[in-house]
Amino acid sequence: MSKEAVVNAFLGCFMHVGLALVLAVYLPVAFVCRLLHRLLVRPFARGEDLRGKVILVTGASSGIGEHLVYEYARHGACVALVARTEVALRAVAKAARDLGAPDVLVVPADVTKVDDAKRAVEETVAHFGKLNHLVANAGIWSSCFFEEITNITAFHNVIDLNFWGAVYPTYFALPYLKASRGNIVVTASVAGRVPTARMSFYNASKGAVIRFYETLRAELGSHVHVTILTPGYVVSNLTKGKGLQKDGHVGIDEEARDINVGPMPVGKTESLAEVVVASVRRRDYYVTWPGWYWPFHMVMCAAPELVDWFSRTFYVSKSSKKILEAVGGKKFLYPQTIRSQTAMAPNN
């Protein structure tokens, strides 16, 4: 046996046994500490005071971004709204002021363009004099089998918006966030942890977001906090069926939505926003909502073959849509606002 083989055999044995012993000690202690913190500390913790803080939100014209703006406004924060659609942004800005935001800045920009992302950050800092939170939320959905795509080059748009659309503003905001010891809040998805069929590019983009910001968290330490959102299905452009189609055009495909969402309940975006801002104020690492999605993370780690079986059974064969229709699920699982879309939702 070669020296290399001996070393690898030793490390293989050592790592498995050693890690098992470490986890056997660490996990019970960590569980008790988290339980005590949740029962004895969290109910009495006030969290970060957001009054007068400056929050920049990308993808602020609709969906999750819009309702995060409203929740920050309720806490007295100043907000800078960034998206491509100025008309929609101005409507959100008016609502944010009515909810209590002392000052609101509208910055029409396309965060997939590096110059636009830089301008959005610089205009925010020039207007408010500081930056406390960056909420990188802009994104787009896609749903089709990979082999059915007829315009493969168009799908770089999914990666550009979901990944680079978060990374670019983060890059330019980082010096200001370090100065304020602020927060980065980034919208990923449970799909980034638990990939299902028909969403290859979307899953890949959200997985990249999670890994990038976990790495950035380690690099930044206590200088800037990072909260990663991995929500399930809530009212948004995704659950309205809006996304990049197989021909490369953005449109609404309710059948694709019904297949991918299936008989899963679609949550209220307002409820998600409330949970997210509360978690950000506590400086939580992750936010998964609704909470019943958490076990999927564990299944993916412990038994990925079950996720593969579930994906093929429910999404490849369209069983999810058949179940939804058989039980009349749309009437009680889907909010009225997403049951039928006859017009395009606004772009982020």
Side-chain angles (χ1 to χ4, degrees), residues 45-289:
R46 295 181 59 188
E48 181 184 2
D49 185 357
L50 296 175
R51 288 175 295 181
K53 296 292 179 70
V54 176
I55 319 297
L56 188 159
V57 182
T58 69
S61 62
S62 64
I64 295 173
E66 175 186 357
H67 287 281
L68 286 174
V69 168
Y70 296 155
E71 189 62 25
Y72 273 111
R74 290 186 183 97
H75 286 273
C78 301
V79 285
L81 315 182
V82 180
R84 289 175 290 187
T85 313
E86 184 172 359
V87 173
L89 283 181
R90 296 208 175 277
V92 174
K94 182 181 183 304
R97 292 188 185 96
D98 294 342
L99 289 169
D103 194 5
V104 181
L105 176 67
V106 169
V107 186
D110 180 352
V111 290
T112 66
K113 299 177 180 178
V114 67
D115 291 338
D116 274 23
K118 182 179 182 181
R119 176 175 58 81
V121 172
E122 290 178 346
E123 286 188 17
T124 300
V125 175
H127 182 84
F128 294 107
K130 62 180 180 179
L131 179 61
N132 299 100
H133 290 197
L134 169 67
V135 181
N137 168 77
I140 190 171
W141 178 60
S142 64
S143 177
C144 63
F145 287 124
F146 177 70
E147 62 183 350
E148 291 180 351
I149 293 172
T150 57
N151 183 4
I152 187 66
T153 58
F155 278 74
H156 72 79
N157 292 318
V158 178
I159 307 298
D160 285 349
L161 186 53
N162 293 356
F163 181 73
W164 290 108
V167 171
Y168 285 155
T170 298
Y171 178 78
F172 295 110
L174 206 50
Y176 305 107
L177 294 172
K178 290 179 75 173
S180 64
R181 301 187 75 84
N183 287 51
I184 297 170
V185 184
V186 61
T187 302
S189 169
V190 71
R193 297 278 198 205
V194 188
T196 53
R198 297 177 180 267
M199 300 196 297
S200 53
F201 283 96
Y202 181 80
N203 295 339
S205 67
K206 294 301 185 178
V209 165
I210 292 170
R211 289 295 180 245
F212 177 86
Y213 283 92
E214 286 175 335
T215 304
L216 192 61
R217 178 192 289 144
E219 293 178 3
L220 296 173
S222 61
H223 297 289
V224 178
H225 191 77
V226 177
T227 298
I228 301 171
L229 314 185
T230 55
Y233 292 119
V234 297
V235 176
S236 65
N237 283 339
L238 185 160
T239 51
K240 291 175 181 177
K242 182 182 179 183
L244 191 70
Q245 309 300 311
K246 60 186 177 182
D247 62 0
H249 292 92
V250 175
I252 288 179
D253 185 343
E254 291 188 9
E255 182 182 13
R257 183 274 311 276
D258 292 349
I259 293 170
N260 277 114
V261 178
M264 298 287 192
V266 177
K268 294 182 178 179
T269 318
E270 300 93 324
S271 300
L272 170 65
E274 185 177 349
V275 169
V276 167
V277 173
S279 296
V280 171
R281 294 178 66 204
R282 291 192 302 264
R283 300 205 155 194
D284 291 345
Y285 275 25
Y286 300 96
V287 182
T288 298
W289 188 89

Side-chain angles (χ1 to χ4, degrees), residues 310-329:
F310 178 83
S311 183
R312 283 184 283 106
T313 302
F314 286 90
Y315 299 119
V316 173
S317 67
K318 299 186 181 181
S319 295
S320 55
K321 183 174 183 287
K322 295 173 185 176
I323 294 170
L324 177 70
E325 293 172 344
V327 301

